[in-house]
Amino acid sequence: MPEYADAKPHYRINDTKNIHLLAERQSSTFNVEDFAQFMFGGSDNPFDINTRRQLSFVEVHFFFEYNLSFCLARLAIAHPIHQTHLPFEYLTADEHYSLCIRKSFAAIDAVNRLNITNRKHRGWFYDIFVNYYFSFYIHTSMCIYAIENLASEEQKHTLLPLAESFQIIASYAQTELGHGTDIRRLETEAIFDKTTDSFILNTPTLTATKFWPGSMGRTVNHVLLMAQLYTPDRNHACGIQMFLVQIRDLKTHQPLPGVEVGEISTRFAHILGDNGYLRLTNVRIPRTQMFMKLAHVDSNGHFTRRGDARLLYGTMVHERLRLINTTLMALIRAMAIAVRYSAVRFQGLNPSGKETQILDYPLQQEKLIPSLSTTYAFLIAFIKLDRYFFQLKTNDDDYFRELPQLHALSCGFKGYTLSISERIAQICRVACGGHGFLVASGLVTSRNGIDGGCSAEGDNVVLLQQTARYLLKVMQQVEENNGGDLHASVAYLNLPLWSPTTTSLILDDYCRLFESRSQLLVKEMYGKMLESTSSSPYDAFIQNSIELVHMAKAHMETFIIRTFYDQVQNACQHVSIALVLEQLFYVYAIHTLRNTSTDFVRLKLLSADQIYELETRILPDLYVQLRPNLVTLVDAFDFHDFELDSCLGRYDGQVYEALMERARLNPSNRHKVPPIWASVKQGTLSKL
């Protein structure tokens, strides 16, 4: 086990006040801290639990009048600004927006005073401080990254200090009212004017209006604008390029001439925030405001390409991974809330006359245990994918060689996992009954955030089609060249099909089962595409798109289950950890298998009777085995109550006390008699 003595968890078991939750923690078969370190420890782990907890212990004269040794996460939570407002659900949209801006600037000030220089650590501090409502998230997570990777060295020298000091605050303006994922069809124009050495920007049609960019409605003063470049004149199209465009005055925050900008209709209430629209009318920017690492326009309007355009994929993959990370954080918050509440809540009398803990009901376990196993499967696979991306970034040759696989995996992973995560978040909401419908449950916010992510940075189904195209190309390579040197994630396409060696299935059998199923589906679809009588490959792809997306999902399930298997093997030196991971693995494999049982039966990999046996005998037995560890499995995520922001998911288990306290804060309760009823009773209510 790695050393983690100085990185203390947010809570200890003695912090538990609810006796039933305490009993759950005492019944666990593994050490929760050992498990957390095994799963989430290490600086190369995207969840790096020790740094999230602590970053470092520092002696600071900070929010208090004397020096205290605090971990930085606790400093974020302890800031007095958090005591100045009602819970978010009791604020108006404008109050909430203003509060998030104030908190975001307070977080930036705290980061500077604490001298947190690591960008990932700064991002975590911002998230914790503003409870995942950081107003400049797009700027810090995407726009600065784009400047670093798409601007020329000269441009970076000028722009990065301004962006990192928040003098420039930018949004990423790609999506238009009429076009989103298909960037080739964007209508916003940038026409070069040689006489003034500038670009003239216009949104020439209604559907060219930039629509949806985060933080653009009221917050940012610049945008990274994706537009069609025309140079040296309107008759010469040069494709999509990125431009840095100032849209607001830096002193007054007023929109600049030619700029119409505002907030669009809110989505899922104001808490998910400042999405905007933007129209440009003859807005001029200097030629040097086009990012020029991969393309260049000189003062005569001559356009040349530079570098490798495939670097653009790196920016998209980076943002896609950050979106997945954010979504998984929302998912594990939802799981922690639902499982803890299910351990506290009692409902229904048993034969002895006592109420039953709802976590003991098989139907509640059927909701939560497959959801929890799936959550762990996604986390394990994402950790591998994130490490893979950052390892490739250190070597250009490796990066370009692996880019097709990286692109296909990131597309497929986002498309597949967010669709499932959306359903799991809803399951968690329903599993908590009526209380789960309250904003105070914390579940509504998590569910809505995941729901929005399903169409952000590419619609899930569109992204899965990208994975499908990759698989067809690989299968062509297999058929024409007997496989050759295949990427690791698709090496199974060149393996013999699985055949059972015993009547019972063990760990690797499930991996080979899913690999064989995916292999057969890919071969089947490849042959179908070759035999298609459609007039073009495009028509053939569209006509078969439903099955192609299904094929892509099968490939992602194969990737996830093989990665899960590898993690179980990695735990072999830690018996108690390996055992619980193995149980989670089996639940995920059988649950996923039964949801797609038609494939396994049709392809003659399993019989209907075998699947029925797995579903009705093996799976319920696994629920019984996992039952003592459910609470500690979500405790391993180690969220502070401030991060969960949930009355139902509190570590101490004082659910009902928290619900009453939250309800009493509702501003509508300040009147014992609501004013409208005073008018009714006094007979002064207007008949109009």
Side-chain angles (χ1 to χ4, degrees):
M1 283 290 165
E3 293 296 326
Y4 54 88
D6 291 333
K8 295 180 175 61
H10 289 304
Y11 301 102
R12 298 293 189 185
I13 192 170
N14 292 337
D15 294 317
T16 313
K17 296 181 180 178
N18 180 279
I19 59 171
H20 307 293
L21 201 55
L22 179 62
E24 294 289 334
R25 291 177 172 133
Q26 291 172 335
S27 71
S28 177
T29 65
F30 63 88
N31 181 284
V32 66
E33 180 63 4
D34 288 346
F35 187 86
Q37 292 299 327
F38 178 80
M39 288 297 304
F40 308 119
S43 59
D44 65 337
N45 189 305
F47 301 102
D48 189 4
I49 195 168
N50 299 314
T51 303
R52 282 186 59 82
R53 286 172 174 172
Q54 185 169 333
L55 302 185
S56 63
F57 276 91
V58 290
E59 289 287 337
V60 291
H61 184 73
F62 195 54
F63 308 135
F64 308 92
E65 294 180 356
Y66 49 90
N67 287 344
L68 290 174
S69 182
F70 273 96
C71 83
L72 297 186
R74 290 174 175 82
L75 281 173
I77 294 165
H79 195 289
I81 196 172
H82 305 311
Q83 308 305 317
T84 64
H85 61 88
L86 290 170
F88 284 141
E89 66 264 32
Y90 299 144
L91 304 179
T92 67
D94 284 339
E95 287 171 342
H96 180 270
Y97 174 76
S98 299
L99 178 64
C100 287
I101 292 292
R102 286 198 299 117
K103 283 194 171 188
S104 296
F105 277 119
I108 292 167
D109 179 64
V111 160
N112 291 335
R113 293 168 66 183
L114 290 168
N115 195 30
I116 305 174
T117 57
N118 181 285
R119 183 171 297 165
K120 181 168 71 171
H121 301 168
R122 288 202 304 266
W124 288 342
F125 189 89
Y126 294 147
D127 283 344
I128 294 169
F129 193 103
V130 194
N131 209 260
Y132 300 94
Y133 299 141
F134 185 56
S135 298
F136 313 124
Y137 169 77
I138 299 296
H139 174 73
T140 56
S141 69
M142 188 172 189
C143 294
I144 291 178
Y145 186 88
I147 293 171
E148 288 177 331
N149 288 273
L150 300 178
S152 68
E153 291 301 319
E154 183 180 357
Q155 289 172 321
K156 283 194 288 186
H157 180 76
T158 302
L159 297 176
L160 275 178
L162 297 174
E164 290 175 339
S165 63
F166 294 90
Q167 296 177 65
I168 286 177
I169 304 173
S171 179
Y172 179 68
Q174 173 179 305
T175 302
E176 296 178 351
L177 196 57
H179 298 92
T181 305
D182 186 4
I183 64 173
R184 294 172 299 178
R185 304 296 297 173
L186 297 181
E187 298 177 83
T188 302
E189 296 179 348
I191 302 172
F192 183 65
D193 179 15
K194 182 178 178 179
T195 60
T196 58
D197 197 28
S198 64
F199 295 107
I200 304 172
L201 307 176
N202 280 284
T203 47
T205 65
L206 177 64
T207 51
T209 304
K210 295 297 182 185
F211 206 86
W212 276 109
S215 302
M216 191 173 72
R218 294 184 279 181
T219 303
V220 303
N221 49 39
H222 285 71
V223 296
L224 301 186
L225 185 80
M226 297 295 282
Q228 300 282 358
L229 170 63
Y230 297 91
T231 186
D233 53 43
R234 182 63 177 80
N235 297 320
H236 294 82
C238 297
I240 296 291
Q241 301 297 329
M242 183 179 287
F243 304 83
L244 180 66
V245 183
Q246 184 177 345
I247 62 171
R248 288 186 170 97
D249 186 277
L250 298 184
K251 293 182 179 179
T252 67
H253 208 61
Q254 286 283 348
L256 296 178
V259 173
E260 179 188 352
V261 62
E263 189 176 23
I264 65 174
S265 178
T266 53
R267 49 173 185 161
F268 298 128
H270 58 268
I271 55 173
L272 288 178
D274 186 31
N275 297 81
Y277 71 87
L278 174 69
R279 290 195 55 78
L280 303 172
T281 304
N282 294 326
V283 173
R284 289 182 178 269
I285 61 170
R287 175 176 55 85
T288 54
Q289 295 301 103
M290 184 182 101
F291 282 1
M292 294 197 184
K293 179 174 182 176
L294 301 179
H296 183 262
V297 175
D298 66 20
S299 58
N300 292 315
H302 296 143
F303 174 80
T304 54
R305 297 195 183 276
R306 294 174 165 179
D308 196 318
R310 290 178 295 176
L311 288 171
L312 285 169
Y313 282 102
T315 303
M316 290 187 287
V317 169
H318 175 269
E319 184 55 24
R320 200 172 292 138
L321 291 177
R322 299 287 63 75
L323 176 64
I324 296 168
N325 190 322
T326 300
T327 303
L328 288 178
M329 291 295 285
L331 178 63
I332 60 180
R333 289 199 300 272
M335 284 304 321
I337 294 165
V339 171
R340 285 177 179 172
Y341 177 69
S342 296
V344 171
R345 181 74 171 181
F346 281 70
Q347 193 78 38
L349 293 179
N350 58 32
S352 65
K354 296 181 179 180
E355 284 191 303
T356 301
Q357 192 178 22
I358 65 172
L359 198 51
D360 283 336
Y361 284 112
L363 287 172
Q364 188 77 347
Q365 295 171 12
E366 171 70 6
K367 290 187 184 86
L368 295 180
I369 296 179
S371 297
L372 183 59
S373 68
T374 301
T375 299
Y376 267 102
F378 289 176
L379 289 169
I380 291 165
F382 175 73
I383 290 168
K384 177 175 181 176
L385 184 58
D386 190 77
R387 284 171 171 163
Y388 172 55
F389 173 70
F390 283 101
Q391 287 168 359
L392 291 179
K393 289 290 288 181
T394 63
N395 185 297
D396 284 348
D397 291 338
D398 290 343
Y399 177 75
F400 289 127
R401 183 176 62 254
E402 297 287 315
L403 186 58
Q405 175 179 235
L406 177 62
H407 176 63
L409 284 175
S410 67
C411 286
F413 198 87
K414 191 270 184 184
Y416 176 76
T417 61
L418 264 72
S419 297
I420 304 295
S421 298
E422 179 191 20
R423 293 201 290 272
I424 292 175
Q426 176 64 9
I427 288 170
C428 290
R429 207 292 296 159
V430 173
C432 293
H435 290 332
F437 196 68
L438 292 168
V439 173
S441 73
L443 292 166
V444 176
T445 302
S446 291
R447 182 192 62 186
N448 290 348
I450 295 170
D451 196 355
C454 288
S455 50
E457 304 305 325
D459 178 87
N460 289 344
V461 170
V462 173
L463 292 177
L464 285 163
Q465 290 177 71
Q466 296 288 319
T467 306
R469 288 188 173 92
Y470 167 76
L471 292 171
L472 293 176
K473 289 179 181 178
V474 173
M475 183 50 64
Q476 181 180 11
Q477 180 184 345
V478 170
E479 294 292 313
E480 295 178 356
N481 304 315
N482 197 28
D485 187 18
L486 298 181
H487 292 132
S489 68
V490 289
Y492 67 86
L493 293 176
N494 216 19
L495 293 177
L497 292 176
W498 171 81
S499 58
T501 56
T502 62
T503 55
S504 60
L505 301 177
I506 59 174
L507 290 170
D508 190 58
D509 284 324
Y510 285 100
C511 295
R512 293 295 297 123
L513 253 178
F514 276 83
E515 288 171 349
S516 295
R517 169 232 189 179
S518 185
Q519 182 183 22
L520 290 169
L521 288 176
V522 175
K523 285 184 176 179
E524 185 176 69
M525 287 311 303
Y526 177 73
K528 201 169 184 178
M529 294 292 286
L530 287 179
E531 296 167 4
S532 174
T533 58
S534 300
S535 58
S536 68
Y538 171 84
D539 290 336
F541 193 93
I542 294 299
Q543 289 172 7
N544 292 286
S545 58
I546 295 175
E547 292 177 84
L548 287 166
V549 165
H550 179 70
M551 175 191 76
K553 290 178 180 179
H555 172 67
M556 294 315 304
E557 288 169 352
T558 298
F559 171 76
I560 291 167
I561 202 167
R562 175 59 73 179
T563 307
F564 203 157
Y565 170 83
D566 291 341
Q567 183 74 340
V568 176
Q569 298 302 109
N570 292 338
C572 63
Q573 300 299 315
H574 315 291
V575 177
S576 61
I577 293 175
L579 179 60
V580 74
L581 280 177
E582 184 175 312
Q583 292 164 354
L584 288 169
F585 172 91
Y586 281 127
V587 171
Y588 173 72
I590 296 171
H591 174 67
T592 306
L593 188 154
R594 69 171 172 176
N595 287 341
T596 55
S597 58
T598 302
D599 285 344
F600 293 94
V601 174
R602 182 178 69 84
L603 298 171
K604 297 181 172 55
L605 293 169
L606 290 173
S607 69
D609 287 341
Q610 286 175 300
I611 295 172
Y612 181 76
E613 172 79 0
L614 292 172
E615 184 175 8
T616 60
R617 189 179 69 83
I618 305 298
L619 202 54
D621 186 55
L622 287 164
Y623 294 169
V624 173
Q625 294 174 44
L626 280 164
R627 173 63 186 84
N629 293 315
L630 296 180
V631 168
T632 42
L633 280 168
V634 300
D635 284 349
F637 302 144
D638 197 35
F639 283 115
H640 193 280
D641 284 348
F642 180 85
E643 293 180 86
L644 282 183
D645 191 24
S646 169
C647 293
L648 306 187
R650 293 168 57 106
Y651 185 89
D652 63 12
Q654 292 194 304
V655 167
Y656 303 122
E657 294 87 345
L659 284 170
M660 280 306 303
E661 181 182 355
R662 191 80 156 237
R664 287 177 174 132
L665 290 174
N666 192 324
S668 65
N669 294 324
R670 65 182 180 271
H671 300 289
K672 290 186 177 180
V673 178
I676 184 64
W677 279 103
S679 298
V680 170
K681 296 303 181 181
Q682 294 167 10
T684 60
L685 184 66
S686 171
K687 294 182 179 180
L688 295 178

